[in-house]
């Protein structure tokens, strides 16, 4: 699927190849384009690619063993992984989704196996050979056969004839439903307590990759900040951000909102032009060895108004309060509540009126993943969760005043043994954001 992050990542990769950049409209369908050399602040950037160390197969094998322990705790006999980041997390394979089932099945006991379209067998074995499942059993199916029976029979061959099969949460319903039909003696349920249970706790290597991703993002944002000028469109600024990532050696990009559109948390497709004194919001990140960053900076080209400065300071304090409150054992919703209280007490309430979204989301191989910093936390299995060392979240309070402007500050927050840290320093002020 071509997501916003994927599209911007492709643009960022192009910036590493060409010494000039075409500053053209990426969305909105209007506006001209211009070609010229990159600004000095961007050409001064140097690649940081050699600082990223890939995840090893031994690390992936350890993840499989942790998944098996969680399967036992959650009374699951096997989990089914189809194309997506959980498949990549355990196997190192990148496999897109389609109407044809491709899956790796991890049983709680016994060897994993792969179910694959017969005409894809060579490609599957080639990819499997690079990861921890190089010797896994590959069960192929022809176009007129049922892949779901291959899943059921593979599990049965490992001595499981009844019990529970966990399905990774992004798997298509038709696949889960068809597996249930092919294995009527087994109950099909969610694998999320296992997949998210593994992925939401980052080890030192994962945290290092995410820290690097955040540092890269901050360097890209700062370089673009120094390249801004009156009359630039938000699309031109987005192109410069992608070029900055290209110079730094990683795919990435950002959404850019200007003026009144900063009051919309995820912005607008309307054409926007930067003028002296306008407020600007940059949001998104990059990918380092499969791990994401997600940062937001809000600042003004020129002189900010007193109201902009006041709102920025409130949001800054809310972000700092969330960081201060976060420590192992604290309830997830307490972090949101601490930041929200700062904003409401400052007159921007009640509830979600001005701070209109949750404080933060888990982040890792996906830009948004389990768990979430908000009351009720979406689904039942996480309601009793507390913060644990190794979790990483966005810490992103905001105040959005419709028709005027919005301010959001976002850094990625790592839960440590004794508290929490931000991977990047807080933005100092709206006039001097870096």
């Amino acid at each position: 699927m071509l997501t916003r992050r994927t599209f911007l990542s492709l643009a960022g990769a192009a910036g590493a190849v060409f010494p000039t950049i075409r500053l053209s409209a990426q969305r909105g369908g209007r506006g001209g384009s211009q070609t010229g050399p990159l600004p000095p602040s961007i050409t001064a950037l140097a690649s940081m690619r050699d600082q990223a160390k890939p995840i090893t197969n031994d690390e992936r094998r350890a993840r499989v063993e942790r998944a098996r322990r969680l399967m036992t705790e959650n009374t699951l006999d096997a989990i089914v992984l189809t194309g997506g980041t959980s498949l990549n997390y355990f196997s190192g394979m990148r496999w897109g989704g389609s109407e044809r089932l491709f899956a790796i099945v991890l049983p709680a006991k016994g060897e994993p196996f792969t179910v694959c379209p017969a005409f894809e067998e060579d490609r599957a074995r080639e990819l499997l050979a690079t990861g921890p499942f190089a010797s896994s059993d590959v069960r192929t199916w022809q176009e007129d056969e049922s892949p779901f029976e291959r899943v059921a029979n593979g599990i049965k061959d490992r001595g499981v004839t009844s019990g529970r099969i966990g399905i990774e949460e992004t798997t298509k319903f038709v696949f889960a439903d068809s597996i249930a039909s092919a294995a009527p003696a087994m109950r099909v349920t969610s694998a999320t307590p296992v997949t998210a249970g593994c992925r939401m706790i980052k080890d030192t290597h994962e945290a290092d990759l995410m820290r690097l991703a955040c540092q890269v993002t901050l360097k890209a944002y700062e370089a673009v900040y120094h390249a801004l000028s009156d009359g630039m469109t938000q699309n031109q600024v987005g192109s410069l951000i992608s070029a900055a990532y290209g110079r730094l050696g990683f795919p990435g990009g950002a959404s850019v909102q200007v003026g009144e559109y900063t009051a919309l948390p995820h912005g607008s497709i309307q054409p926007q032009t930067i003028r002296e004194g306008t407020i600007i919001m940059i949001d998104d990140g990059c990918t380092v060895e499969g791990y994401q960053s997600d940062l937001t900076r809000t600042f003004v080209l020129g002189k900010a108004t007193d109201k902009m400065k006041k709102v920025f300071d409130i949001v800054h304090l809310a972000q700092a309060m969330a960081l201060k409150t976060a420590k192992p054992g604290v309830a997830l919703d307490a972090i949101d509540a601490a930041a929200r209280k700062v904003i409401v007490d400052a007159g921007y309430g009640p509830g979600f009126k001005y701070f209109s979204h949750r404080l933060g989301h888990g982040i890792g191989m996906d830009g948004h993943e389990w768990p979430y910093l908000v009351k009720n936390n979406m689904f039942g299995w996480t309601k009793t969760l507390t913060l644990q060392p190794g979790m990483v979240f966005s810490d992103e309070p905001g105040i959005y005043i419709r028709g005027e402007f919005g301010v959001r500050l976002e850094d990625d927050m790592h839960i440590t043994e004794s508290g929490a840290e931000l991977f990047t320093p807080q933005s100092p002020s709206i006039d001097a954001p870096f």
Side-chain angles (χ1 to χ4, degrees):
M1 179 183 294
L2 185 63
T3 64
R4 182 184 72 170
R5 174 71 66 90
T6 304
F7 174 78
L8 293 170
S9 296
L10 294 173
V17 178
F18 300 106
T20 62
I21 184 167
R22 182 177 179 83
L23 300 179
S24 59
Q26 296 174 3
R27 54 186 174 173
R30 288 186 277 175
S33 65
Q34 54 183 315
T35 302
L38 289 171
S41 61
I42 295 179
T43 58
L45 295 171
S47 176
M48 300 172 67
R49 191 71 189 83
D50 62 353
Q51 298 182 38
K53 307 303 180 187
I55 300 295
T56 67
N57 284 339
D58 283 344
E59 289 172 303
R60 296 190 193 281
R61 292 185 187 99
R63 293 171 177 182
V64 170
E65 291 311 308
R66 173 166 172 74
R68 284 176 161 157
R69 291 194 295 273
L70 288 174
M71 284 184 228
T72 299
E73 292 174 14
N74 290 277
T75 61
L76 290 172
D77 296 282
I79 62 171
V80 178
L81 307 170
T82 55
T85 46
S86 286
L87 178 76
N88 180 242
Y89 176 85
F90 290 107
S91 73
M93 292 180 65
R94 290 180 171 84
W95 194 281
S98 80
E99 76 281 8
R100 297 181 175 97
L101 178 71
F102 175 91
I104 289 180
V105 181
L106 301 182
K109 297 178 182 178
E111 290 301 310
F113 65 95
T114 301
V115 174
C116 172
F119 74 92
E120 296 274 33
E121 181 177 3
D122 289 347
R123 181 165 74 100
R125 289 188 182 277
E126 182 180 47
L127 293 173
L128 285 165
T130 66
F133 303 141
S135 60
S136 81
D137 174 18
V138 178
R139 302 193 171 205
T140 61
W141 56 277
Q142 296 293 349
E143 296 277 61
D144 60 351
E145 296 177 320
S146 169
F148 313 108
E149 291 180 2
R150 297 289 193 276
V151 172
N153 290 337
I155 294 172
K156 183 178 179 181
D157 289 347
R158 280 148 181 80
V160 180
T161 56
S162 63
R164 302 191 337 142
I165 304 173
I167 307 295
E168 200 275 335
E169 65 187 274
T170 63
T171 300
K172 293 181 178 181
F173 173 79
V174 67
F175 291 168
D177 190 50
S178 298
I179 291 170
S181 296
M186 301 198 71
R187 178 187 171 193
V188 168
T189 188
S190 172
T192 301
V194 175
T195 53
C198 288
R199 291 178 55 182
M200 69 184 181
I201 307 297
K202 277 68 180 181
D203 62 21
T204 300
H205 189 175
E206 292 176 290
D208 287 345
L209 291 173
M210 296 182 70
R211 189 188 311 275
L212 177 58
C214 290
Q215 292 169 349
V216 167
T217 294
L218 199 60
K219 283 184 177 293
Y221 284 7
E222 183 174 8
V224 171
Y225 170 74
H226 290 297
L228 295 179
S229 63
D230 188 285
M232 279 187 176
T233 68
Q234 94 272 32
N235 298 310
Q236 290 172 331
V237 178
S239 292
L240 288 175
I241 292 169
S242 296
Y245 278 127
R247 300 285 298 185
L248 290 161
F250 299 97
S255 68
V256 180
Q257 306 303 324
V258 180
E260 66 181 294
Y261 297 107
T262 60
L264 305 177
H266 284 170
S268 169
I269 63 172
Q270 295 302 314
Q272 301 164 42
T273 301
I274 295 172
R275 298 298 181 195
E276 192 76 15
T278 55
I279 195 165
I280 303 159
M281 182 184 291
I282 299 176
D283 174 33
D284 221 313
C286 69
T287 303
V288 172
E289 291 297 332
Y291 286 82
Q292 311 297 317
S293 61
D294 193 0
L295 273 67
T296 303
R297 289 294 181 265
T298 306
F299 47 82
V300 171
L301 181 66
K303 185 175 176 59
T305 66
D306 289 344
K307 185 173 183 179
M308 290 174 181
K309 292 178 182 179
K310 178 182 177 182
V311 170
F312 182 99
D313 290 345
I314 295 167
V315 173
H316 189 279
L317 181 59
Q319 188 187 45
M321 183 58 69
L323 178 66
K324 180 180 178 180
T325 305
K327 54 179 62 71
V330 174
L332 301 174
D333 63 324
I335 316 305
D336 178 278
R340 197 169 301 278
K341 185 177 187 301
V342 170
I343 290 172
V344 172
D345 286 353
Y348 288 95
F352 289 80
K353 183 175 180 180
Y354 291 98
F355 178 13
S356 55
H357 53 74
R358 64 196 172 204
L359 174 73
H361 52 81
I363 183 171
M365 294 186 73
D366 287 315
H368 289 205
E369 62 180 46
W370 295 99
Y372 304 94
L373 299 178
V374 68
K375 185 178 179 180
N376 296 328
N377 208 31
M378 295 182 68
F379 294 101
W381 78 277
T382 58
K383 285 184 178 179
T384 59
L385 273 181
T386 59
L387 294 184
Q388 300 175 44
M391 289 180 172
V392 179
F393 303 91
S394 65
D395 178 359
E396 52 176 313
I399 293 174
Y400 309 95
I401 307 169
R402 292 296 183 96
E404 295 187 47
F405 65 89
V407 172
R408 179 167 68 254
L409 297 175
E410 178 181 18
D411 293 277
D412 295 340
M413 180 173 66
H414 177 224
I415 309 303
T416 65
E417 293 291 337
S418 58
E421 62 170 346
L422 298 179
F423 285 144
T424 40
Q426 282 187 280
S427 182
S429 72
I430 197 165
D431 292 319
F434 299 98

